[in-house]
Amino acid sequence: MRQVRLAKDAMDRDWADPELDLDTVAAHAGYSRYHFIRAFKEAYGETPGQYLTHRRIDRAEDLLRTANLSVTEICHLVGFSSVGTFSARFKAWTGLTPSEYRAKHVGRGAALIPGCYAMLWAGGFRSAPGSGSGSGKQRNSGEAG
């Protein structure tokens, strides 16, 4: 059970990473992927894939209610690589499309957080490959030559 908890902790930590896959998580537990699926479901009542999807959708619900970001931006921030898959899973879980969910819930509290702040907080601004301290120069978005 301890190994399964460690793997779940890894999923809780890295849930937004679209590269997170079953083999990686099972390796945290030291199990084969199939044994890990059985052990995880026995311990938590759902498969690792279901757990990860629910975790991502819960976070997407928060962002749809609070952040001024597009559905596509939210889709990618929470770890989905396909807007179609995100929308289908979101609707299956909540009964509403992401746009319907936002329309129903926005306006029931404080103003939406500007998208740039939400992206910064969520880690959405990442350095381009090859940029950084090793290249010798820093650039902004390319506006200043």
Side-chain angles (χ1 to χ4, degrees), residues 88-101:
R89 299 234 171 107
F90 191 94
K91 184 168 185 172
W93 181 249
T94 65
L96 301 168
T97 66
S99 298
E100 292 168 343
Y101 184 89

Side-chain angles (χ1 to χ4, degrees), residues 36-55:
F36 177 68
I37 291 170
R38 286 190 299 274
F40 192 95
K41 185 165 184 171
E42 183 178 317
Y44 297 106
E46 60 186 348
T47 67
Q50 291 167 332
Y51 176 79
L52 187 58
T53 296
H54 296 159
R55 183 106 164 95

Side-chain angles (χ1 to χ4, degrees), residues 1-141:
M1 182 64 182
R2 182 178 185 276
Q3 294 92 337
V4 174
R5 245 182 289 135
L6 290 173
K8 183 178 177 284
D9 289 345
M11 291 171 68
D12 288 338
R13 182 184 59 242
D14 299 329
W15 59 267
D17 182 0
E19 300 298 316
L20 185 65
D21 65 355
L22 184 60
D23 291 325
T24 303
V25 177
H28 279 286
Y31 293 156
S32 73
R33 66 185 299 152
Y34 302 107
H35 183 68
F36 177 68
I37 291 170
R38 286 190 299 274
F40 192 95
K41 185 165 184 171
E42 183 178 317
Y44 297 106
E46 60 186 348
T47 67
Q50 291 167 332
Y51 176 79
L52 187 58
T53 296
H54 296 159
R55 183 106 164 95
R56 289 173 171 171
I57 289 173
D58 286 342
R59 184 66 189 121
E61 288 176 312
D62 288 340
L63 290 170
L64 286 164
R65 281 191 309 269
T66 61
N68 188 16
L69 295 168
S70 71
V71 170
T72 301
E73 289 169 325
I74 291 172
C75 163
H76 294 293
L77 276 176
V78 299
F80 285 93
S81 54
S82 162
V83 177
T85 300
F86 168 65
S87 294
R89 299 234 171 107
F90 191 94
K91 184 168 185 172
W93 181 249
T94 65
L96 301 168
T97 66
S99 298
E100 292 168 343
Y101 184 89
R102 172 176 274 161
K104 181 177 179 181
H105 289 59
V106 167
R108 294 186 171 195
L112 291 177
I113 299 167
C116 57
Y117 289 112
M119 291 283 284
L120 184 64
W121 176 78
F125 295 118
R126 293 183 177 89
S127 300
S131 68
S133 60
S135 64
K137 63 179 178 178
Q138 296 278 324
R139 292 192 56 163
N140 59 11
S141 63

